[in-house]
């Protein structure tokens, strides 16, 4: 859970919960509304992570409070009708945090690979 | 029942604040899901319900925890400060011989304000926001009333008493939806508090009084100008001759008034301030609302000072109540055998009580204060005559009183 804390080094926010990381990664593409975030996460995780409305907006609420995400205004998405939707985008701090988390995960994956835990089929 | 209606019912599991902020967005997202899924399948509803079950309790716990922590702290603070304020008021009540009714009323109002503040906390926890707002407004009213009847309240207690409920009131009204009533209440309370803070226990206006060296009863008349400047009081002392002084570091606590005298005007560079500059005074409030006490200079020299508020029924220049030192008071304490004008006899017991000189008449079975008029003369409180003591070796040995019906004489027996 990302809790509100004093703005400090991006590393102080790590590790991120999986849902939070996926949301931040989705927002790295630019401003998105809730449904677009949900579909982006689902597609990127190849269906392994499915965020329901409660999980998504609960995470967004915490990310807004932590200053990692900000609202980008309300407007209609032409692809989804004329109802106005709230858009969200990464803050510079949010971008630093998601990069730091990606580096942390990358280091862990490389370590696992060196141990031959991934990257080749087990004997 | 439509799927959206069922989902709206499920959304009630979330905390009200969260729903107010995100319900519309969540319903929009749910509609999108409905368009792309078959709402008639069990799998769809299992996913929906699982999402609610997984996220709602956590959000509710977060919301409750935040409010709970704030309210616990506020409750502990309220109880501690309330207890501190009430104990302080009771302590001062015990020390003061007058104004018992005022102290009792202030304590009752303080207890009521504290209980209402605690009630506010319970109201917030139970999400009865309207009840909490009413309790807050009522606590503010009680506190304002307590401040008005008990003007000796400490600045610290006043800050907490006004700022804590006002802050909670703003937090409760903080508009997610605009509220004219809420905004008007906050503005009204905000406007009402600063003037109340300025209202001081020292009446504004021209005070009279007297000052003189301790060992010499002769006192010089002086005046004080008490004015409100911004949020604070300014008190200027004008002696009948010499420089004016400004009262600095004024501290009013219980029946005690303390301050330091500073020269009112700046001195040329190199000049050292003299006179009463730097003198520290400590006065005690008297029954007639005047203040009497002593001042001590940087060199240890002590003098008497008396301040009489404007509109006092006992003007300083008509019936005096000059201060006496403990040593001076002791020189009069004793038992006197009195011969009354018509030849009757009385025994007068002169004694000291709470720093005041009093006399008890056996003949009239009455006790009253002796008001010092200077030069060894006293006016028994409520009487229209004066008794003048004669001294032997620094101790009163007897007195003479000129009453309307003749002369009375007293001789010390003890």
């Amino acid at each position: 859970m990302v809790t509100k804390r004093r703005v400090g080094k991006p590393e102080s926010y790590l590790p991120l919960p999986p849902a939070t990381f996926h949301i931040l990664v989705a927002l790295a593409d630019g401003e998105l509304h809730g449904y677009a975030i949900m579909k982006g996460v689902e597609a990127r995780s190849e269906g392994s992570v499915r965020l329901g409305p409660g999980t998504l907006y609960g995470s967004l609420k915490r990310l807004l409070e932590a200053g990692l995400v900000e609202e980008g205004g309300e407007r209609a998405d032409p692809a989804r009708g004329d109802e106005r939707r709230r858009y969200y985008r990464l803050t510079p701090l949010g971008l630093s945090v998601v990069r730091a988390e990606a580096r942390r995960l990358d280091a862990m994956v490389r370590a696992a690979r060196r141990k031959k835990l991934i990257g080749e089929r087990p004997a | 029942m439509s799927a959206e209606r069922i989902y709206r019912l499920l959304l009630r599991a979330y905390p009200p604040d969260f729903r107010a902020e995100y319900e519309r967005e969540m319903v929009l997202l749910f509609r999108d899901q409905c368009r792309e899924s078959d709402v008639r399948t069990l799998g769809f509803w299992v996913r929906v319900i699982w999402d609610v079950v997984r996220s709602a309790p956590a959000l509710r716990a977060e919301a409750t925890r935040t409010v709970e922590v704030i309210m616990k702290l506020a409750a502990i603070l309220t109880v501690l400060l309330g207890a501190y304020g009430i104990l302080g008021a009771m302590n001062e009540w015990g020390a003061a011989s007058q104004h018992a009714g005022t102290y009792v009323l202030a304590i009752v109002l303080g207890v009521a304000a504290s209980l209402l503040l605690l009630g506010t906390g319970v109201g917030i926890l139970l999400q009865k926001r309207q009840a909490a707002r009413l309790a807050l407004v009522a606590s503010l009213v009680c506190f304002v009333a307590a401040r008005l009847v008990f003007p000796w309240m400490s600045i610290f207690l006043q800050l907490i008493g006004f700022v804590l409920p006002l802050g909670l009131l703003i937090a409760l009204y903080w508009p997610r939806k605009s509220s004219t009533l809420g905004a008007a209440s906050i503005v009204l309370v905000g406007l009402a508090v600063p003037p109340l803070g300025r209202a001081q226990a020292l009446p504004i206006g021209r005070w009279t009084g007297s000052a003189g060296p301790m060992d010499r009863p002769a006192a010089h008349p002086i005046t004080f100008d008490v004015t409100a400047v911004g949020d604070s009081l300014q008190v200027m002392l004008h002696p009948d001759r010499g420089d004016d002084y400004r009262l600095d570091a004024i501290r009013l606590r219980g029946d005690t008034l303390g301050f330091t005298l500073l020269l009112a005007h700046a001195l040329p560079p190199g000049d050292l301030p003299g006179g009463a500059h730097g003198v520290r005074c400590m006065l005690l409030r008297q029954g007639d609302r005047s203040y009497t006490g002593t001042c001590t200079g940087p060199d240890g020299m002590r003098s008497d000072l008396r301040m009489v508020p404007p509109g006092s029924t006992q003007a300083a220049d008509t019936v005096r109540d000059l201060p006496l030192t403990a040593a001076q008071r002791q020189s009069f304490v004793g038992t006197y055998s009195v011969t009354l004008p018509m030849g009757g006899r009385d025994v007068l017991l002169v004694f000291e009580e709470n720093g005041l000189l009093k006399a008890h008449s056996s003949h009239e079975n009455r006790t009253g204060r002796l008001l010092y008029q200077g030069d060894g003369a006293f006016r028994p409180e409520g009487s229209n005559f004066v008794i003048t003591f004669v001294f032997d070796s620094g101790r009163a040995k007897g007195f003479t009183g000129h009453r309307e019906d003749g002369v009375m004489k007293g001789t010390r027996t003890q």
Side-chain angles (χ1 to χ4, degrees), chain B residues 74-383:
Chain B
I76 291 167
L77 196 66
T78 306
V79 169
L80 287 177
L81 287 167
Y84 170 75
I86 290 162
L87 282 175
M90 288 175 78
N91 186 33
E92 286 169 15
W93 177 20
S97 54
Q98 296 126 357
H99 318 300
T102 303
Y103 281 98
V104 171
L105 187 56
I107 289 167
V108 168
L109 288 167
V111 170
S114 301
L115 289 176
L116 284 164
L117 264 179
L118 285 175
T120 303
V122 174
I124 291 172
L125 282 177
L126 297 176
Q127 302 192 352
K128 306 283 184 194
R129 295 169 77 89
Q130 191 55 35
R133 286 179 194 133
L134 283 173
L136 270 178
V137 172
S139 81
L140 265 174
V141 169
C142 282
F143 200 84
V144 168
R147 167 64 179 77
L148 289 174
V149 299
F150 188 63
W152 321 102
M153 198 176 279
S154 74
I155 296 295
F156 179 64
L157 208 59
Q158 287 183 52
L159 271 176
I160 296 298
F162 291 126
V163 173
L164 180 64
L166 189 58
L168 284 171
L169 200 62
I170 290 171
L172 275 175
Y173 269 121
W174 196 252
R176 286 192 186 284
K177 296 171 187 172
S178 60
S179 161
T180 313
L181 180 66
S185 306
I186 292 166
V187 169
L188 273 176
V189 174
L191 289 175
V193 168
L196 196 72
R198 272 203 298 275
Q200 299 289 328
L202 296 178
I204 304 288
R206 170 151 290 197
W207 291 49
T208 53
S210 58
M214 280 184 72
D215 298 331
R216 299 212 306 269
H220 304 291
I222 52 175
T223 54
F224 300 85
D225 279 327
V226 181
T227 51
V229 180
D231 286 342
S232 58
L233 278 183
Q234 178 175 286
V235 186
M236 301 293 290
L237 186 159
H238 311 288
D240 59 342
R241 57 179 182 274
D243 295 321
D244 289 345
Y245 292 90
R246 176 170 60 83
L247 272 64
D248 189 53
I250 301 171
R251 186 175 175 275
L252 198 50
R253 180 73 184 152
D255 282 350
T256 308
L257 170 66
F259 53 81
T260 303
L261 292 177
L262 297 179
L263 272 173
H265 61 274
L267 289 173
D271 276 14
L272 290 174
H277 182 83
V279 163
R280 178 81 195 144
C281 300
M282 196 61 70
L283 311 182
L284 191 67
R285 191 171 192 250
Q286 306 297 320
D288 58 357
R289 297 193 300 135
S290 69
Y291 288 86
T292 58
T294 55
C295 297
T296 310
D299 55 358
M301 286 282 285
R302 300 180 76 188
S303 55
D304 297 323
L305 185 67
R306 174 171 159 78
M307 294 174 69
V308 181
S312 172
T313 53
Q314 202 169 38
D317 54 351
T318 52
V319 179
R320 290 178 168 185
D321 185 11
L322 299 176
L324 288 165
T325 64
Q328 284 175 318
R329 288 193 295 270
Q330 280 302 314
S331 68
F332 298 102
V333 169
T335 306
Y336 298 83
S337 171
V338 182
T339 306
L340 297 170
M342 305 301 287
R345 306 288 297 181
D346 192 4
V347 174
L348 196 70
L349 176 68
V350 177
F351 63 98
E352 188 183 344
E353 188 179 87
N354 293 331
L356 300 173
L357 210 55
K358 294 186 175 181
H360 175 79
S361 162
S362 303
H363 181 67
E364 296 177 16
N365 194 23
R366 194 168 72 92
T367 302
R369 274 193 66 198
L370 292 176
L371 305 173
Y372 189 43
Q373 307 300 301
D375 294 323
F378 288 85
R379 184 187 291 266
E381 194 172 33
S383 71

Side-chain angles (χ1 to χ4, degrees), chain A residues 1-2 5 10 13-32 37-38 40-41 44 49 51 56 59-64 66-70 88-102 105:
Chain A
M1 184 187 299
V2 178
R5 69 192 91 180
Y13 292 84
L14 308 187
L16 293 177
T20 304
F21 178 65
H22 280 292
I23 292 169
L24 292 178
V25 169
L27 290 173
D29 297 335
E31 278 192 3
L32 293 174
I37 296 171
M38 194 175 82
V41 169
R44 197 165 288 107
V49 179
L51 300 176
L56 174 68
S59 300
L60 280 172
K61 173 182 174 283
R62 295 178 195 118
L63 288 167
L64 283 163
L68 305 187
V69 164
E70 61 191 3
Y88 300 91
R89 62 177 173 235
L90 281 183
T91 61
L93 176 64
L95 186 61
S96 305
V97 169
V98 71
R99 279 182 176 152
E101 177 69 349
L105 292 173

